[in-house]
Each structure stands twice: as C-alpha cells, then as structure tokens.
Amino acid sequence: MQRETRIAHYAVGVLTALSLVLLSLPLSSPVRSFKTCVSYVTDPLPYEGEQGYQKLAGAPERVRALLSADIENARLRDELKSLEWLKTTVASLATQNERLRQELALKPAPSLHPVWAHMLERDPQNWYGSVAVDAGRDRGVSLNDAVLGRKDGELVAVGRVVEVQPRTSTVMLLTDQRSAVAAYLSSGTLEGLVQGRRDDPAHAVMSYIDADSRIVPGDSIYTSPISATFPPDVLIGKVVRIYPRDPSLSFQSVEVAPALDAADLAEVLILSAHPLPGGTSASAPAPVARPA
C-alpha cells in the first residue's frame, strides 16, 4: 500500500515539474504543438466552428492540418448519419411512386445510366453551338441523350447528343439556334419552349408563355416534365429580360441566360438510355435540386 502511495506521489511530482517546465519555456513550435494537442484531446468542442479555426491558426502547420482533418472527419460522420435518414426517405418515396404507377397503369420512367465525359474540342466559329466529348458508343451513348453540366455543386441542363461515333460524341448546346426544350418558369410553373438564338448565341429565348402571366427578371427556368429529352426539374437558366409583348401574338417571350456558360464547360454528364457495354456501371450522378 505504501509502495503504491509513493508511486502516486512520484507521478504527481513528475507531472507538476513537467507542467512548470512547459510553462516556463518560450512558445516555440514544439511547445505550441504539444499545448494545442493536449487542449484538443481534453476538450475538442472549442475547436469547432469559426472560433475553433482561429484557435488553430496559431498552431504549427502540421498540427493544424492534423486537427483540422479530425474535425472535418467528425463533421462528415454526422452528415453520413443524416444521409441514412435521407436514403430511407427516398427509398420509401420510390416504393410509393412505383405502387401508384401500377395502380394508375402508367408507363414506368426510363432507366438512365450516367456517363461522365470531358471536352475534346470546339469550333471557334460555333462556340455556343456544339462541343465534342470523349464518350461514344463504346460507353453506351446514343442519339438525343440528355447532357448535364455541373454548376456550384448542382447539375444543370447543357444540351443533347446529336452525333455518336465509336469513341466520341457531339453535343448540341441549348444555345444553338436549332435547339429547343420544353420548360417552365419557377414563378407560377408557367410552361414554354426554350430555344437558341441566331442573333445572340450566348443567350436563349423562352417563348409561348401565357400572355397574361406575370414574370420578373431573375425567375429560374427548369426542364418541363413533358420534355422528351431531359428529366424534369433540371435548371436551365434564369430570366434576364422580358421582351415587349406583341399585340398580334397570344403569348410573350423572355431572354434566358444559361445556368452554365459554354466557356465554363470542362466535363459533362450524359444520361444514356442504354446500359453500358459489358454490364459496367458508372458512379451515380448527384441529385438534381428541385425548385422550391
């Protein structure tokens, strides 16, 4: 018993001496690292959030990177827990949707296979018309497949496949004068048709909107559920100008700025209607954000 007491006294003495030594030392890099690590291990909560990053700012680079990675890892674990609930909810909705389709005798939606592709080349004289990508029949691409791009973490409409080669394809952009896609406005879900323009290839025009509808610049435009090419509720762009109404027409038109400019295209997601050759599969695309 006395031996254990002596050992405990020695341990307290050693720790006290070590604490005094550390307190007396200048704030060199190793000392700051040690203090930061001990503080984080004993109480990690103050290191979370903006103030936590400020606390880490004074730590050495390697220690800061290590602790920041641990904080980020904890945050991602919490997000994964939330995604489990989201996954369960989506599966439940899919089951209900399939049941309703069967009861109403509706034709099932086509199964789409995502294929990521990269830009190959562009015609400078047709910059906003079409692009070539490095995916063709070898990866299951076919004519009229919808093509999406990524903008600020969201998938947006880009165009459709108009030519397919063994290993490459040509994508006609939404701003091409030959392009047309059924769409609707976020304000009042007003239906219309988005088409490319000859006089302004960087923009498109949305026509056939009800003449009595109220539209404001900045309204978002999404692909319509009646579109023959695109899945519904994919962002196309925003209204930038409302054209003066022609009294002889029963509809009005607006100018559309695409959500993703052709100059920013680096890679695209092709939604192939055919499975990939050999039964291989690509990573699933990020969920398309629906309008509020």
Side-chain angles (χ1 to χ4, degrees):
M1 185 68 179
Q2 294 181 352
R3 182 172 177 274
E4 294 177 354
T5 302
R6 287 198 303 272
I7 293 176
H9 289 165
Y10 291 150
V12 171
V14 170
L15 291 175
T16 302
L18 180 61
S19 300
L20 293 174
V21 170
L22 290 175
L23 288 173
S24 63
L25 289 175
L27 291 179
S28 61
S29 179
V31 174
R32 290 202 307 272
S33 301
F34 180 80
K35 288 184 175 181
T36 302
C37 291
V38 171
S39 176
Y40 178 80
V41 170
T42 56
D43 187 12
L45 188 60
Y47 289 89
E48 298 181 0
E50 184 63 29
Q51 293 183 347
Y53 283 109
Q54 293 177 2
K55 287 178 176 289
L56 290 175
E61 182 178 355
R62 290 187 177 181
V63 174
R64 185 169 63 251
L66 179 63
L67 297 186
S68 297
D70 188 68
I71 294 171
E72 182 70 10
N73 186 40
R75 184 184 66 81
L76 291 175
R77 285 199 301 268
D78 291 338
E79 289 186 2
L80 283 174
K81 294 177 183 177
S82 300
L83 288 176
E84 286 298 323
W85 167 249
L86 180 60
K87 180 180 178 181
T88 302
T89 304
V90 170
S92 175
L93 291 174
T95 302
Q96 294 180 32
N97 184 52
E98 182 60 28
R99 177 176 58 80
L100 291 173
R101 283 184 178 276
Q102 293 178 1
E103 291 180 358
L104 297 174
L106 296 177
K107 182 180 179 181
S111 177
L112 300 176
H113 305 272
V115 178
W116 283 102
H118 298 85
M119 300 298 102
L120 288 179
E121 60 182 357
R122 300 182 186 171
D123 182 356
Q125 297 181 348
N126 192 28
W127 189 264
Y128 293 97
S130 63
V131 295
V133 297
D134 62 351
R137 284 193 294 270
D138 61 325
R139 299 179 62 188
V141 177
S142 57
L143 287 177
N144 293 319
D145 283 347
V147 180
L148 311 181
R150 188 180 292 276
K151 177 69 173 180
D152 298 329
E154 179 182 1
L155 291 176
V156 300
V158 168
R160 63 185 176 89
V161 175
V162 293
E163 183 179 353
V164 184
Q165 301 294 335
R167 297 183 179 276
T168 62
S169 299
T170 301
V171 177
M172 183 171 68
L173 303 178
L174 294 178
T175 46
D176 188 284
Q177 60 182 342
R178 300 167 297 170
S179 174
V181 57
Y184 71 89
L185 283 156
S186 57
S187 58
T189 62
L190 306 172
E191 295 283 344
L193 189 68
V194 174
Q195 298 172 287
R197 296 176 52 181
R198 180 191 298 269
D199 57 336
D200 184 5
H203 294 85
V205 59
M206 183 175 180
S207 305
Y208 309 110
I209 307 170
D210 187 274
D212 298 325
S213 302
R214 183 177 178 272
I215 308 170
V216 296
D219 280 348
S220 297
I221 301 173
Y222 298 87
T223 56
S224 170
I226 65 173
S227 172
T229 301
F230 289 91
D233 307 321
V234 181
L235 180 64
I236 294 177
K238 293 184 179 297
V239 175
V240 292
R241 185 159 67 99
I242 303 171
Y243 294 121
R245 180 182 170 186
D246 188 340
S248 64
L249 299 176
S250 60
F251 62 85
Q252 57 181 320
S253 302
V254 298
E255 184 174 308
V256 181
L260 183 59
D261 190 276
D264 297 329
L265 278 175
E267 60 179 0
V268 296
L269 180 65
I270 303 173
L271 298 180
S272 172
H274 300 87
L276 297 178
T280 57
S281 60
S283 300
V288 175
R290 291 181 176 270

